[in-house]
Amino acid sequence: MGRGWGWAVIMKTICLYFEIHQIIHLKRYRFFDIGTDHYYYDDYENERSITDIAERSYMPALNTLQQMIADNGKYFKVAFSLSGTGIEQLEMHAPQVIEKLQQLAQTGCVEFLAEPYSHGLSSLANEETFALDVKKQCQKIEELFGQKPQVARNSSLIYSDDIGSQVAAMGFRGMLTEGAKHVLGWKSPHYVYNCNLAPNLKLLLRDVELSDDISLRFNNAEWEGYPLFADAYIDRIARFPEEEKIINIFMELSALGIAQPLSSNILEFIKALPVCAKEKSIDFATPTEICMKVPSVGAIDVPDTLSWVDEERDCSCWLGNAMQREAFQKLYSVADRLRIANDARINQDWDYLQASNNFRFMTTKPSNVGLDRGIYSGPFDAFTNYMNILGDFINRVNALYPLDIDNDELEGLLTTIKNQGDEIEMKDKEIARLKAKLEKYETEKPAAKKPAAKRTATKKAKEA
């Protein structure tokens, strides 16, 4: 633990967190491909983009964080969350990133958080799908890094009272979200709060200005804060009122190297943070450590959904126009059937089609943050391509599980099939056991007769 982690005295503490997610690029898919082509992805672009981001951002940044842990011991802490779809891309095209994260996990100074596997919007559509989405990612994190996540974050820090209640019901200690001004009002993000509907769920709110100074503005020569130095940055934190203890700095890991190029000395800045913080008696801690040690000062009321995206800090970048809402509703219209059916091949496409960037590409709203639509010329082009793919996907779902079978009937049929499969498996095991027993009996039977034969031969010899 850092120096300030006594129960009586809690020192100013920085909670540093990075998100790792990779867009799954869809290929150009035309109306006439529906029914004939069931593969939806641009493999070349997926490999190119993840390889590029691993080389220019993830590996240099993770190497720097590893060095910071080596230099500062248990004093420096950092947290990550990885989307499941991002993990799949890394495993396929950049396994060195996973290996580096595993090395970091072994230091005891790194925490891995829960999030939806798909990096999708299931929390806004279907409670059961959202719970399974998070559970699937947690299993993957435990498998890769040996940690069972205790704190969650939703895609793009999406949060509301209802979502917090769902996350609390999943058993998490805390959740990360945005310290949005329209929610906080006069309150500061530098305290621990709790969910309005589930008081046991602690909330850690991102300091928007401190986070964006690094992730968005660091290399902007026209910004009034340019150039930003680590000592000045830490001085700002030290000058916060004494009672404001918790400073949450959350961003995408790609900010280090992509949004802010390595040539800007962004990694040198990051590396200097714990050195400067230690001089000011400021600690570092993981989200779980904070949730365990620091009491909540009260509930935050969030009736409407917020996120960390755009000036509005809401969900309008994904669901702000009629095209986005139509695509969203059509996608999640099959959520219950997919959850009941649980077909492996369909589920992978389901994960990739849920990813929030598919809806972001359809946005018609202006944004201060540049949006690269990839192959799409505009929002309508993105909508058309996605809906063609979605049309084929839903046709495949309906072909497997016809619409004239309602969800209850489908669940009953699949349960019967599963039970029959389990029964067959048990019988197969019993048959295998009996076969093994029979073979053992057959091999032992001749051996049992040998002593008798030997006695007979001895008796005849004596008589002779």
Side-chain angles (χ1 to χ4, degrees):
M1 291 285 180
R3 293 164 295 157
W5 284 110
W7 282 101
V9 179
I10 297 169
M11 305 178 74
K12 269 194 173 53
T13 302
I14 294 172
C15 180
L16 184 62
Y17 153 82
F18 295 102
E19 174 206 35
I20 298 177
H21 168 62
Q22 179 62 24
I23 288 173
I24 305 294
H25 296 272
L26 302 178
K27 69 181 182 183
R28 179 63 66 181
Y29 193 94
R30 305 188 186 284
F31 176 78
F32 298 104
D33 295 325
I34 297 174
T36 62
D37 182 3
H38 304 318
Y39 192 77
Y40 311 134
Y41 314 107
D42 185 339
D43 289 336
Y44 172 79
E45 183 57 25
N46 284 326
E47 181 176 0
R48 186 207 64 77
S49 58
I50 191 68
T51 303
D52 178 62
I53 201 170
E55 182 180 330
R56 291 168 53 204
S57 171
Y58 291 168
M59 287 307 293
L62 293 174
N63 282 329
T64 297
L65 292 166
Q66 186 178 38
Q67 187 61 50
M68 291 163 69
I69 292 171
D71 291 345
N72 294 279
K74 299 294 182 183
Y75 168 75
F76 177 70
K77 309 284 180 67
V78 65
F80 298 95
S81 73
L82 294 81
S83 69
T85 52
I87 290 173
E88 289 183 19
Q89 292 297 296
L90 290 169
E91 287 179 321
M92 195 180 306
H93 302 301
Q96 70 274 20
V97 176
I98 299 291
E99 291 167 11
K100 182 59 65 175
L101 286 164
Q102 288 171 331
Q103 292 172 21
L104 286 165
Q106 291 169 6
T107 66
C109 297
V110 174
E111 179 179 355
F112 292 89
L113 309 186
E115 70 163 79
Y117 190 96
S118 67
H119 198 78
L121 306 173
S122 55
S123 61
L124 305 176
N126 188 295
E127 190 170 332
E128 291 83 1
T129 299
F130 177 53
L132 282 176
D133 213 3
V134 174
K135 182 180 179 182
K136 183 177 179 180
Q137 188 262 3
C138 288
Q139 290 170 341
K140 190 70 172 176
I141 292 295
E142 195 165 3
E143 173 192 318
L144 286 175
F145 307 115
Q147 290 188 21
K148 184 177 181 181
Q150 302 293 311
V151 173
R153 58 91 66 182
N154 202 357
S155 311
S156 301
L157 298 191
I158 291 172
Y159 177 81
S160 68
D161 292 336
D162 288 336
I163 293 170
S165 180
Q166 292 175 45
V167 168
M170 295 179 207
F172 292 103
R173 292 178 182 271
M175 189 171 183
L176 275 53
T177 188
E178 181 76 338
K181 289 181 181 177
H182 71 274
V183 169
L184 282 171
W186 56 268
K187 297 176 182 176
S188 165
H190 304 148
Y191 296 91
V192 173
Y193 295 93
N194 62 265
C195 173
N196 196 30
L197 299 181
N200 290 334
L201 184 78
K202 302 279 186 67
L203 297 179
L204 304 184
L205 308 185
R206 185 176 87 115
D207 185 303
V208 177
E209 187 174 343
L210 287 173
S211 301
D212 288 354
D213 281 354
I214 299 174
S215 62
L216 299 182
R217 294 184 280 269
F218 184 81
N219 195 42
N220 181 4
E222 297 179 1
W223 171 45
E224 62 182 13
Y226 180 88
L228 182 61
F229 295 106
D231 56 352
Y233 188 84
I234 293 296
D235 281 346
R236 283 166 57 193
I237 294 173
R239 289 196 300 269
F240 288 142
E242 179 61 29
E243 62 274 14
E244 297 188 13
K245 302 288 190 183
I246 306 302
I247 317 300
N248 300 309
I249 301 170
F250 306 159
M251 68 192 76
E252 298 175 5
L253 186 61
S254 60
L256 311 182
I258 303 296
Q260 309 305 321
L262 299 181
S263 60
S264 68
N265 292 324
I266 183 68
L267 293 183
E268 287 74 9
F269 170 85
I270 293 292
K271 195 172 181 179
L273 288 177
V275 178
C276 297
K278 193 177 289 187
E279 291 175 355
K280 296 288 185 179
S281 299
I282 296 172
D283 269 336
F284 284 82
T286 63
T288 293
E289 287 176 338
I290 292 172
C291 289
M292 289 176 66
K293 299 289 187 180
V294 183
S296 166
V297 296
I300 287 287
D301 185 18
V302 190
D304 301 317
T305 313
L306 63 87
S307 78
W308 71 356
V309 177
D310 291 346
E311 292 295 323
E312 294 84 358
R313 303 287 196 252
D314 59 14
C315 293
S316 58
C317 67
W318 303 290
L319 300 173
N321 64 44
M323 292 185 296
Q324 293 169 312
R325 291 190 291 273
E326 181 182 346
F328 178 80
Q329 288 163 9
K330 186 169 184 180
L331 175 68
Y332 284 102
S333 68
V334 294
D336 289 331
R337 298 177 72 77
L338 288 173
R339 179 172 46 78
I340 294 166
N342 195 24
D343 180 273
R345 289 187 65 185
I346 289 287
N347 281 349
Q348 186 175 48
D349 289 333
W350 172 240
D351 288 336
Y352 294 168
L353 292 178
Q354 283 189 84
S356 62
N357 57 277
N358 293 312
F359 300 93
R360 184 87 188 272
F361 293 152
M362 303 175 200
T363 187
T364 50
K365 60 178 286 195
S367 173
N368 292 331
V369 181
L371 175 62
D372 180 6
R373 297 185 203 263
I375 62 171
Y376 305 125
S377 59
F380 184 71
D381 187 27
F383 170 73
T384 303
N385 201 68
Y386 183 79
M387 293 302 278
N388 287 340
I389 290 172
L390 192 55
D392 182 79
F393 175 74
I394 290 178
N395 285 347
R396 287 166 58 205
V397 174
N398 292 339
L400 281 171
Y401 314 108
L403 282 171
D404 56 2
I405 302 176
D406 64 31
N407 287 345
D408 290 340
E409 189 178 355
L410 174 61
E411 189 161 20
L413 286 171
L414 291 172
T415 300
T416 301
I417 292 168
K418 183 181 182 303
N419 292 341
Q420 288 175 343
D422 291 344
E423 190 175 342
I424 291 169
E425 187 180 349
M426 286 177 62
K427 286 181 178 178
D428 286 343
K429 286 179 180 177
E430 179 66 13
I431 290 168
R433 188 183 69 79
L434 292 172
K435 277 184 178 178
K437 193 173 181 180
L438 182 61
E439 287 172 5
K440 185 179 179 183
Y441 175 76
E442 292 293 337
T443 55
E444 289 176 351
K445 190 165 60 172
K449 291 180 179 179
K450 284 180 182 177
K454 188 176 180 182
R455 284 196 301 273
T456 305
T458 305
K459 185 178 180 184
K460 284 181 179 180
K462 285 181 178 178
E463 288 174 352

